[in-house]
Amino acid sequence: MLFWVAVALSGAVDAQEVTRRADSDKQATDPRQDDLSTQSAVQLDTVQVTGTRIKGGTTPSPVITIDSTRIREEGFTDLGEVIRSLPQNFGGGQNPGIFASANIGGNNFNTTGGSSLNLRGLGQDASLTLLNGRRLAYGGASQGVDISAIPVEAVERIEIVPDGASALYGSDAVGGVANVILKQDFEGAVIGARFGHATEGGLGTRAYTATAGERWPTGGLTATLKRESIDPIQASQRDFAQAMYQPATLWSGSDLRSGLISGHQSIGEALTFQIDALRTERQAYTDTGYAKAYYHNTPETHSTLVSPAFVLALASDWTLTASASLGRDKTYTHQQVIQTNTGLVSTNSLGTYSNSSITYELGAEGPVMDLPAGEVRMAAGAGYRDVEFLSLGISSNRTLADGSEKSSFAYTELNMPLVAPTQNIRGLRRLALTGALRTEYYDRDGRVTTPKLGLIYSPDADFTLRTSWGKSFKTPRLLQLYGTQSVALYPAATFGAAGVPRTATVFYRSGSNPDLSPERARTWSATLAFHPEALPALEAELSWFDIDYTGRIVQPVVYSEALANSIYAPFVTRDPSQAQMAQAIADSASFLNYAGAPYDPRKVIAIVDNRSVNAARQRIHGADLSGGYRFDLEFGELTIRGSTGWMESTQATLPGQRPSDLAGTLFYPARLNGRAGLVWNSGGLTTSLFGNYRSGVRNRLDGKEGASFTTFDATIGYEVPGWHGLLSGLTVELTAQNLLDREPPRYAAVARSEAPYDSTNYSAVGRFLALALSKRW
């Protein structure tokens, strides 16, 4: 606890330290530098950190690295769990525990049972996910990527830049970028099985994996297969959800099949061929209960990625890379409306969401000139990208959305060292400038140019200051532009109406807007890293970030507050005329009745218009504090690490409107999040204990703030040493999440169809126990 107060222990082991050491070794290869660390200089010269395209370069943005060792130590079983553990990532967006009532702003939902990155709570469509530096196809309607479908057994590490990165990677990287880096030279074979269950019921888990790899003098190949089945958690299995309409799913069930191949082969002395291929199939199961019926959804998603590349080593340490990334994602939706009393199916709806993405890119990297402090290196490239989206209503025989986005792009990045440690300048150990510029031309939105500038400064060997300024952007989702509009009839209580007849209803409009424009953001960050030479096992880092986000596309209304909160008055038409209701129906592709009674225009008290709009402005700022320390003891190695993040965010939907709070309110990120703990390794034994904290959120309807949420996770694992005998290479691991079985903080739900807790910030799982076995040859 004292260490937490002193350095705010870092759970996010920072890749910037890897970069710092790589840079130090790289400088040693220059005859003008001292010759420290020359033994590893050749290897580390090829280190490339996410956030820069320059080999051996550094990024002025903070970079979080979570490697396979840490994933194993902390008991994570998929990358969805990994990203949800980060204070910088919001648990809302696309995640298996998101309940239907949390879908505010059109960003929080559980369509497929997968998990998507959601940095700073900006939405899964504003955080970019890469696989070995290549884009994957969008998933479903959300324009996110299911990161949990990538087999964690094939992952070497995941690097996350929680800072605007459009100058390097283009659209979607407003909140930041995550790069999943695969194992390249795995050798041998590993099979594993994992079984788990929530002690309060549900979430029965059965997972089976197999990984095999081979390497040879000129290349290597790694392949991973995974099969996983997860039972849902129903509201009837949790005491705090008994009052909800049944059946209702609090955590979706799913069946996942995933396969991945990653390989590389040298062709002669200068040319290397690389390829990554991923195939996943997932079926999810969710129920949503209402007064007289419930909705049974069984979506099935098939996703494919093939990403080949040729890397050519040129003269003077230049490298030329030609790559392609071809991805497809198709979700088959199946919704049944089932009468609760009779079990009869009244509606049976089928549909599809189809996404495809093709990217071609040619890039080069190398030195352009020498300075006294070292080489000035540059990366430059150009490419073309084509994204298509098609949504079909099979049951209705209608096209619900059909659109594409084509763009060409060019970029350049420069890393310029001005002062190096070997120059022995007092009070100025290191100074470097970085810059990047990317221009993209879209067939619909025209030209978009985004710059990023950075500075890296070290007064001595113990401190490093990094700061960056840049611009980012995101084009509208294709569904937001080219989708249809719909009208639904709901009970008035669903929208927070009070003092109205029980039979009162509301028209709810939602859907696309063809007049949407791209979102734009100005991002700024500053990071102070402490890495004392006298204590090489200690690292601590403090970061500040600020995002000024304009034109953010949102569904402007929190529907459960639409009739109770005056800030939504511009989007509410009270006491509508029959002509207004008829026009709303005529403008829409579908009219759905969720009221539990026939449509009667005389009982409609309002029209709530929640179609997508460009919000005037969002402001997001905050601080991350992290650190870690490793003790080498006689009886093993003890590591302390953790991180905490504080954030404020506000939104003004209309010009001139007073900004309202987002962070710290229901269904938006909690203001304070943290994770800290201990890991002890001794021989083949590994144990860990981590605490997770999330502050309470305020219900804007009644002004009440809920309780905070603190849980503890524990893992103990043992690997039988040696490579001979029946038990050699066997690993046994026991994991307990939410060890004390903490229930989520409650809030007063406005309807029995809603979960009585914030499913974006808190979990209904309770205590979860799992046993994993693996065998390596």
Side-chain angles (χ1 to χ4, degrees), residues 548-552 613-618 651-657:
D548 187 354
Y549 205 162
T550 58
R552 180 66 168 127
V613 298
N614 285 98
R617 192 177 197 185
Q618 283 186 355
Q651 176 175 297
T653 305
L654 297 174
Q657 185 183 63

Side-chain angles (χ1 to χ4, degrees), residues 48-52 63-66 79 83 117 119 128-136 147 150 155-161 169 176-182 276:
Q48 186 167 341
V49 174
T50 304
T52 177
V63 181
I64 303 163
T65 292
I66 304 173
L79 293 179
I83 61 173
L117 187 72
L119 294 170
L128 180 61
T129 300
L130 306 173
L131 182 65
N132 273 352
R134 314 297 182 204
R135 281 179 174 263
L136 297 93
I147 197 171
I150 302 172
V155 175
E156 177 65 29
R157 66 187 185 275
I158 176 172
E159 295 180 346
I160 300 168
V161 179
Y169 301 108
V177 59
N179 188 13
V180 180
I181 299 171
L182 303 175
D276 300 313

Side-chain angles (χ1 to χ4, degrees), residues 262-316:
S262 181
H264 61 102
Q265 174 64 54
S266 296
I267 304 172
E269 296 183 358
L271 184 64
T272 300
F273 173 69
Q274 303 170 345
I275 189 166
D276 300 313
L278 173 67
R279 170 70 176 180
T280 65
E281 297 178 359
R282 184 197 294 274
Q283 184 168 21
Y285 313 89
T286 61
D287 295 318
T288 304
Y290 290 95
K292 296 183 180 181
Y294 68 95
Y295 296 79
H296 181 60
N297 291 280
T298 55
E300 184 172 343
T301 300
H302 296 181
S303 187
T304 304
L305 172 74
V306 177
S307 179
F310 287 92
V311 181
L312 179 63
L314 304 174
S316 303

Side-chain angles (χ1 to χ4, degrees), residues 526-565:
T527 302
L528 179 64
F530 179 50
H531 38 74
E533 278 192 323
L535 294 171
L538 172 65
E539 295 179 16
E541 188 169 279
L542 173 65
S543 296
W544 175 265
F545 63 91
D546 188 284
I547 304 171
D548 187 354
Y549 205 162
T550 58
R552 180 66 168 127
I553 298 171
V554 298
Q555 289 179 263
V557 178
V558 177
Y559 72 83
S560 61
E561 304 175 16
L563 300 182
N565 196 326

Side-chain angles (χ1 to χ4, degrees), residues 502-513:
R502 182 179 58 84
T503 58
T505 56
V506 168
F507 260 32
Y508 177 71
R509 302 192 66 179
S510 60
S512 64
N513 180 354

